Amino acid sequence: MTETTTTPSWRETLRNFLDARVLTMLFLGFSAGIPILLIFSSLSLWLGEAGVERKAVTFFSWAALGYSFKFVWAPLIDKLPLPLLTRSLGKRRAWLLLSQALIMLAIVTMGSIDPALSKNNLTLMAFAAVLLGFSSATQDIVIDAYRIESAETRLQALMSSTYIVGYRVAMIVAGAGALYLAAQFGSEKGHYVYTAWRWTYFIMAAIMLVGVLTTFVIPEPKHKPSSLHYTTHDYLRLVLVFACTVTAFVLTFFLTDALFTHLKAGTDGGVLTGFLLETLRFALAVAVAFAVGYLLVRAGLVDRAIAIETWIAPIADFFKRYGVKTATFLLVLIGFYRISDIVLGAASNVFYQDLDFSKQEIATAVKTVGVLVSVLGGVFGGLFATQFGVMKSLLWGAILAALTNLVFVLLAVSGHSLPVFYLAVIADNLAAGFASAAFVAFLSALTSVSFTAVQYAIFSSLMSLFPKVLGGYSGTMVDAIGYPGFFIFTTLIGLPVIGLVLIATKFLELDQSKLTQPT
């Protein structure tokens, strides 16, 4: 699919913000942003007021699995019809409504449990948080697929921008808003009131109706019909194979924890060694899951054609369209594009506390000013990509993400300085918002409309996997080289990304006219 190379005027670009498809992403982004803080920061404060240490319940860490490994079940969302809902709403809206209903159920369930009463209540709360994490990740999968399928490439950057705006506003609502409500209802540290948190979470569940109403109003995007048709029995067997595969992955990942912890303890404890061992652990879990799935298909538990179309075809399509060499290069670029700011972000809050900034100062700068600036960065990133092309915006996003980390060096040297603190937060969030909008537009353009849910889920999971693993060693790095050295390091690891983007621009010739959604 090709489209005109004519650059739109600024007036035309701004007018496109009023396009119904662009505005839709504002509300879907809001729906996507509500759950995440209700699993993490807001819930942590609730548990803290209830006298419970969150680290005492290992189940809570599982809530993040949905976001990290959503590519595992994304193929089912692309292929599996939902009884009644798919026929009446269409493939994307059916899954969207189901995920939103499960999100609301999970939030209401969490609000109905007082974690201070017993260990059993705490365990039930953990399971509800896990349900919320997986439901929210499922909604993310569907929204990403819907965005790519509902509009042509020229609108993807602006749709990414409005999505980021909605998402960030929702984070303010579910973060600062939830804390404000709980305080208004009478709960605070040293004076825990369960009903305050119960009504807070009930209100957050009601706010999710914004997403539900949007789902009913928006049109279903057009889909390329599948060449193969299956019975309900075929789909049920596919779900069974999927469940076995996921179980194999999760069991391998968690059962090897002690082994790899021992291996890391037996080495020099270096950051690179730990990073490589964690990567090996993840690869081992994927290999075991793949082997289990392969053996089940070979045993005839599911029809081979449906298994290939569901799990193999999306990956094969990507390598076929770009070739093995180019596809591998693109995956490397995707895997490391956000490494500079994600690794820095892993240590930022501890850094602020070490400089003796108060919780109020951090909350005002990071949670309020930072979020608003990231929204502006996202809007500017979308406008820039529309005017000058995806690859130019991707390049400037990489440059800004790396170089703005140097402001943190200045903050580390300056110490407790509010002006420099705000300068660092503003620069970091402006760059992150710009880079996010550019990167989402880039990933959307790489994704085939025939396999949107699967391919985009793989890309987005890969985007955060390696940076988050490396970010887990940020504390070790700070202990070894200090904060100034650490921030210089985060700048340096961003420089090769700039080179990767330059190579992609020249070698792949992925300019605005050629970076399009394949049909």
Side-chain angles (χ1 to χ4, degrees), residues 28-192:
L28 290 180
F30 182 85
S31 181
I34 288 293
I36 188 165
L37 292 187
L38 299 180
I39 302 172
F40 299 110
S41 62
S42 296
L43 179 60
S44 295
L45 289 171
W46 179 1
L47 295 177
E49 288 185 5
V52 178
E53 291 188 8
R54 186 179 172 193
K55 64 181 182 181
V57 186
T58 56
F59 286 126
F60 280 105
S61 64
W62 291 16
L65 285 177
Y67 296 102
S68 299
F69 303 121
K70 58 187 178 182
F71 63 89
V72 177
W73 74 94
L76 292 184
I77 295 175
D78 251 347
K79 298 299 178 185
L80 190 64
L82 295 174
L84 300 178
L85 287 178
T86 298
R87 183 174 298 178
S88 58
L89 295 176
K91 181 169 69 171
R92 296 305 179 205
R93 293 199 300 154
W95 274 101
L96 196 53
L97 183 62
L98 175 63
S99 63
Q100 290 165 342
L102 290 175
I103 288 171
M104 295 176 69
L105 173 64
I107 296 174
V108 169
T109 301
M110 292 172 71
S112 303
I113 299 170
D114 184 355
L117 287 182
S118 67
K119 231 175 185 180
N120 288 337
N121 274 22
L122 203 56
T123 302
L124 291 174
M125 175 74 83
F127 278 117
V130 171
L131 173 62
L132 181 55
F134 277 87
S135 302
S136 177
T138 300
Q139 181 185 227
D140 290 350
I141 293 170
V142 185
I143 290 175
D144 290 332
Y146 181 89
R147 184 191 68 252
I148 295 168
E149 293 172 350
S150 61
E152 58 273 26
T153 302
R154 69 179 181 86
L155 291 179
Q156 288 298 320
L158 297 183
M159 293 171 78
S160 302
S161 297
T162 51
Y163 174 85
I164 291 171
V165 171
Y167 194 93
R168 296 294 184 178
V169 170
M171 290 183 70
I172 295 176
V173 172
L179 301 186
Y180 173 79
L181 285 173
Q184 287 295 107
F185 289 139
S187 185
E188 58 187 31
K189 193 170 184 179
H191 183 67
Y192 171 61

Side-chain angles (χ1 to χ4, degrees), residues 329 333 391 395 496-508:
F329 176 82
L333 173 59
M391 295 309 296
L395 175 62
V497 175
I498 298 173
L500 289 175
V501 178
L502 288 172
I503 294 172
T505 304
K506 183 177 181 180
F507 179 65
L508 303 175

Side-chain angles (χ1 to χ4, degrees), residues 93-398:
R93 293 199 300 154
W95 274 101
L96 196 53
L97 183 62
L98 175 63
S99 63
Q100 290 165 342
L102 290 175
I103 288 171
M104 295 176 69
L105 173 64
I107 296 174
V108 169
T109 301
M110 292 172 71
S112 303
I113 299 170
D114 184 355
L117 287 182
S118 67
K119 231 175 185 180
N120 288 337
N121 274 22
L122 203 56
T123 302
L124 291 174
M125 175 74 83
F127 278 117
V130 171
L131 173 62
L132 181 55
F134 277 87
S135 302
S136 177
T138 300
Q139 181 185 227
D140 290 350
I141 293 170
V142 185
I143 290 175
D144 290 332
Y146 181 89
R147 184 191 68 252
I148 295 168
E149 293 172 350
S150 61
E152 58 273 26
T153 302
R154 69 179 181 86
L155 291 179
Q156 288 298 320
L158 297 183
M159 293 171 78
S160 302
S161 297
T162 51
Y163 174 85
I164 291 171
V165 171
Y167 194 93
R168 296 294 184 178
V169 170
M171 290 183 70
I172 295 176
V173 172
L179 301 186
Y180 173 79
L181 285 173
Q184 287 295 107
F185 289 139
S187 185
E188 58 187 31
K189 193 170 184 179
H191 183 67
Y192 171 61
V193 179
Y194 159 62
T195 54
W197 284 101
R198 180 184 66 189
W199 284 110
T200 296
Y201 268 61
F202 284 178
I203 291 172
M204 291 297 124
I207 289 175
M208 277 298 300
L209 289 173
V210 171
V212 173
L213 292 174
T214 303
T215 300
F216 280 113
V217 170
I218 59 178
E220 176 72 8
K222 294 180 180 179
H223 303 286
K224 182 179 179 180
S226 174
S227 58
L228 302 173
H229 301 281
Y230 306 103
T231 65
T232 301
H233 183 64
D234 289 327
Y235 284 119
L236 290 176
R237 292 196 296 173
L238 182 67
V239 172
L240 178 60
V241 171
F242 164 74
C244 293
T245 304
V246 171
T247 300
F249 177 89
V250 172
L251 287 177
T252 304
F253 192 79
F254 283 101
L255 291 178
T256 56
D257 180 59
L259 172 62
F260 279 89
T261 300
H262 176 72
L263 290 175
K264 283 187 283 187
T267 62
D268 58 3
V271 174
L272 180 59
T273 302
F275 176 77
L276 292 176
L277 285 172
E278 287 293 342
T279 303
L280 178 61
R281 180 186 174 195
F282 174 77
L284 177 63
V286 171
V288 171
F290 178 82
V292 169
Y294 175 77
L295 291 174
L296 290 175
V297 173
R298 285 293 301 268
L301 187 59
V302 68
D303 183 84
R304 187 171 179 269
I306 189 174
I308 291 175
E309 186 185 32
T310 302
W311 281 298
I312 305 300
I315 300 173
D317 168 80
F318 180 70
F319 280 91
K320 182 179 179 181
R321 282 189 291 117
Y322 292 100
V324 174
K325 183 178 179 180
T326 302
T328 303
F329 176 82
L330 288 172
L331 292 177
V332 171
L333 173 59
I334 292 168
F336 289 95
Y337 183 77
R338 298 298 306 277
I339 194 167
S340 183
D341 54 339
I342 290 179
V343 172
L344 180 144
S348 59
N349 284 329
V350 176
F351 171 57
Y352 302 147
Q353 291 175 333
D354 286 346
L355 291 182
D356 295 325
F357 289 106
S358 68
K359 288 185 176 61
Q360 291 79 7
E361 289 171 333
I362 295 173
T364 302
V366 179
K367 302 298 183 184
T368 305
V369 176
V371 170
L372 293 176
V373 169
S374 69
V375 168
L376 293 176
V379 172
F380 181 56
L383 288 171
F384 190 95
T386 303
Q387 285 295 120
F388 302 107
V390 172
M391 295 309 296
K392 283 186 179 179
S393 65
L394 199 69
L395 175 62
W396 277 106

Side-chain angles (χ1 to χ4, degrees), residues 413-494:
V413 174
S414 302
H416 191 281
S417 170
L418 277 176
V420 181
F421 179 35
Y422 273 88
L423 176 63
V425 170
I426 289 172
D428 181 52
N429 282 277
L430 185 65
F434 184 97
S436 294
F439 197 47
V440 169
F442 175 67
L443 297 185
S444 301
L446 291 180
T447 303
S448 168
V449 293
S450 299
F451 306 101
T452 43
V454 186
Q455 291 184 354
Y456 195 91
I458 292 173
F459 295 155
S460 58
S461 296
L462 182 62
M463 170 194 73
S464 62
L465 178 61
F466 295 109
K468 282 184 177 179
V469 171
L470 184 58
Y473 296 94
S474 58
T476 304
M477 287 186 276
V478 170
D479 290 340
I481 59 179
Y483 278 118
F486 171 71
F487 295 129
I488 291 173
F489 169 75
T490 62
T491 298
L492 294 177
I493 61 176

